[in-house]
Amino acid sequence: MAFAGLDVGTTSSKAVVYDGEGTVLGTGRAPMHWDTGSFGTQTDSERLCRSAFDALNAAAQAAGVPVQAVGVTSMGESGVLVDAQGQSLTPVIAWHDDRDGAEVADLVATIGPDTFGGVAGKPLRGQWSLTKHRWLLTHDPAARAAVRRFDVAGWVVHRLGGDPALEMSLAGRTGWFDIAAGDWWDDALAWSGATRSLMPPVVPAGAPVGMITSDDVNLLLRNAVLTFAGHDHQASALGARATGPGHELDSSGTAEALVRTIDALPSRGDVARLAEAGITTDPSVEAGHWSLLGGTEGGLAQQRAMERLGMDLAELDRAAESPGSEAGAQWRAVVEKAADEALTLHRAMDEVVGPAARVVVTGGWRHSSEVMRAKRSRFQNLEVSPVEEAGALGAATLAARACGAIGPHEHLGVT
């Protein structure tokens, strides 16, 4: 049997087909193209699907075997508004776009950071879906004809042939969701101009939501069971086997993310404290659990330093070991700062939910000896994951669960 994981990300879509032992059978990747104009960064719904479909088709063709199930994980926050005929009405605004500054200011004045943090589980900043939705209603008249809003994974799944639905961890990324109630937050909906009827049914990760019927994908994917694998960072934690209670994923890539899985939702006051520290709280892709997520730009700073210094990673790591190297000193300083930023988030989580039982590092920067030296000097119980595409493996694991090939707590892949 074969299972595919599709990770629809900000810079590219990645797909991997695995066999029942977690062995890679085929891979595919396609760029995600964005336009940058007078308003900000956006794309269109067809381009988004093309990226996802191209990656999935390439992986299926490389694997050369029928695929039983496909799990889809994606970036959060961005959305697709459609009319009664299912046609997209507006651009898809990038989650990191900052055109909604006025809306964020109004949300601060109307609802306030403490209430927003405690109910939605989010720092009050310009990232979440609700402020961009209000911006669209103000600036793009076509948005007012929308009858349904899809998130990125939901749109891709629907276009593949799946039922309209929104996975719970991705619902948590909208700012409209009361995470303690597990339901839509009416005050936030009303503030943004959205309604409950605009939202698809909310489903847990790993629930079957139909089969692939689209003619736009390889025949080896036809009739594969479809499921959601949640927010991309959570899918990565699952793929790296870092979703047990108290486990923490350190996704050490361009955007570094710390993802802590916990077995009980903190109090509303503690959720607000976490939000004030820049940490989000969401339902977990593992049923009955919760996920804390804190992000830094440490990986981006390291990438910029590497480009500025004009050296590859191995050269920089060697320079860092040489006491007289100016480039090595600069590299050490950037790496130390990035590690300190991650440690600050890690400790903020510890203060609310207790110490992490283990920290598992994934992402490209784990290949740097200097980065890992800095992490090992700060984090206890540190492990390095051997998984290259942890998000895709997590998505494929949920696909295998969705079609009953493995149990609800079993995994694909290496231990």
Side-chain angles (χ1 to χ4, degrees), residues 229-376:
H231 190 224
D232 50 8
H233 290 308
Q234 288 205 38
S236 293
L238 179 63
R241 298 204 183 189
T243 56
H247 292 183
E248 181 174 301
L249 177 79
D250 180 355
S251 179
S252 187
T254 303
E256 184 163 16
L258 301 181
V259 185
R260 179 87 62 94
T261 302
I262 55 177
D263 56 9
L265 179 66
S267 69
R268 181 157 289 183
D270 281 341
V271 170
R273 281 179 58 202
L274 288 163
E276 186 177 6
I279 297 164
T280 67
T281 304
D282 291 300
S284 173
V285 296
E286 295 281 31
H289 292 77
W290 301 87
S291 178
L292 308 181
L293 169 63
T296 81
E297 294 187 353
L300 179 60
Q302 289 166 178
Q303 180 65 37
R304 288 172 174 167
M306 189 165 66
E307 293 169 356
R308 184 182 71 252
L309 294 168
M311 301 168 69
D312 65 27
L313 188 57
E315 290 172 329
L316 282 171
D317 284 344
R318 286 194 295 271
E321 296 175 358
S322 174
S325 169
E326 177 61 27
Q330 291 184 41
W331 178 236
R332 284 196 304 273
V334 171
V335 169
E336 295 278 349
K337 182 179 179 182
D340 284 339
E341 290 172 350
L343 182 61
T344 296
L345 291 171
H346 174 85
R347 287 174 170 168
M349 294 180 191
D350 285 353
E351 289 176 2
V352 174
V353 301
R358 60 194 285 258
V359 179
V360 181
V361 184
T362 63
W365 291 114
R366 78 189 192 282
H367 299 300
S368 165
S369 59
E370 182 62 20
V371 168
M372 292 309 303
R373 183 203 61 75
K375 290 184 182 297
R376 287 194 175 95

Side-chain angles (χ1 to χ4, degrees), residues 169-220:
S169 74
L170 286 163
R173 307 302 294 179
T174 64
W176 283 310
F177 204 63
D178 181 332
I179 59 167
D183 194 9
W184 299 112
W185 181 15
D186 288 320
D187 288 349
L189 289 170
W191 174 87
S192 69
T195 62
R196 285 175 173 262
S197 63
L198 191 67
M199 307 300 169
V202 177
V203 299
V209 289
M211 296 188 299
I212 292 181
T213 58
S214 173
D215 293 330
D216 292 327
V217 295
N218 193 292
L219 287 174
L220 293 169

